[in-house]
Amino acid sequence: MAVCTIYTTQSLNSRCSIYTSAKTQLGFHQREVVFYSTSGKRSSSSRRGSSVIRCAAGESQTVVIGLAADSGCGKSTFMRRLTSVFGGAAEPPKGGNPDSNTLISDTTTVICLDDYHSLDRTGRKEKGVTALDPRANNFDLMYDQVKALKDGVAVDKPIYNHVSGLLDPPELIKPPKILVIEGLHPMYDQRVRDLLDFSIYLDISNEVKFAWKIQRDMAERGHSLESIKASIEARKPDFDAYIDPQKQYADAVIEVLPTQLIPDDNEGKVLRVKLIMKEGVKYFSPVYLFDEGSTISWIPCGRKLTCSYPGIKFAYGPDTYFGQEVSVLEMDGQFDRLDELIYVESHLSNISTKFYGEVTQQMLKHADFPGSNNGTGLFQTIVGLKIRDLYEQIIASKEAAPVEATKA
Ligand SMILES: Nc1ncnc2c1ncn2[C@@H]1O[C@H](COP(=O)(O)OP(=O)(O)OP(=O)(O)O)[C@@H](O)[C@H]1O
Ligand SMILES: O=C(CO)[C@H](O)[C@H](O)COP(=O)(O)O
């Protein structure tokens, strides 16, 4: 008999029901469910079939964030910036699988959606599908488990092992304060998408993606230029079909393009980065430069900001994106001196900092992360602060709301 230990923040006399079905997605036919209440009391129940515990609506505290991007587009770097905003280091589950893709800190748990690959590397090869193809992923299980975590219920999440290319035995994930689901498809399945409190898409243009891939896979992983080109080409049709369309659903998009400051630049070192922020998203007010709603172009170089060639240019203004109203903040170029970023920060509003200079402090703290001297690092940091603010607002609103009557 498989034993599943489930931690719940609900008291034992709160209304939680166990739903069972004939067979779990993980393959267990019978399991024991052990509840731990916050007071430490314990009770257990044995059922045939899979166990999903659903507790009374309105009691959940887990805020769910989706981060979508292709492989090698800066998700891990963004996650490191985000978890740093909440303080404390993010680490793999203690004593667990050394190849786990999960990162846990005091406030956040980041799960990688590669863990919901239904086909392992050999299986994909045999069936002739890439990992980007929805047929290689189990969206039913993804939905069930993200929903359970959002409802305050622990799950046994599978692990996709990137070293072996196999599906490893599952790991226990307890409901965190903030759950980040990052990977190829957080906004692909409507059921999963509807669970997200906020969503981000990292939109890296083909030229820049290629430059980053070469930098990482050639320098750090020993791949040849030809194999990198071949891998990008092989993924492109599925990327265009299944990954890229998700950006229309994102509340914030960080778009990374080649610079416009250097004519015909093909080095890909200087970047033009746009932060596209949807209007009307609950608990999220877009950042603005100087004057909300105006159209602004700003070259901050001069007395207060050191700029070597090709300089720095900011732009801000309203726009539409997939037919929706957005505000766009743009930065082209790179900083020479990160401490001078405070000058730029002081002209930005709605950045959800807790003290003057917090963006600059965060950027200086992680000056060694990729993108710290340009708009990728700046906008990732700002989005991290906006997520903290969103989380605090959601929690405050739940605490203020009267407890809902539970249904029998
Ligand atoms: N902002 C950036 N500026 C320059 N290079 C970057 C930036 N972000 C990421 N990179 C490059 O891309 C590589 C991949 O970044 P990262 O590991 O954060 O991406 P990822 O999406 O998590 O990748 P994967 O899904 O393959 O694990 C880095 O090693 C770095 O070379
Ligand atoms: O697109 C990816 C997401 O990170 C990976 O390529 C996918 O998970 C397959 O993994 P592997 O390359 O280890 O077979």
Side-chain angles (χ1 to χ4, degrees), residues 9 60 70 90 117 121 133 183 192 232 286 326 336 346 351 397:
T9 52
S60 144
D70 197 3
H117 289 336
R121 203 175 285 156
D133 190 315
V192 179
I232 290 179
V326 293
D336 281 5
S346 63
I351 44 177
S397 76

Side-chain angles (χ1 to χ4, degrees), residues 96-97 99-102 114-116 157-162 166-171:
N97 187 330
D99 294 327
S100 166
N101 301 308
T102 303
D114 294 350
D115 289 336
Y116 293 99
K157 182 189 60 53
I159 299 175
Y160 175 71
N161 189 321
H162 279 276
L166 298 171
L167 290 157
D168 283 353
E171 62 187 356

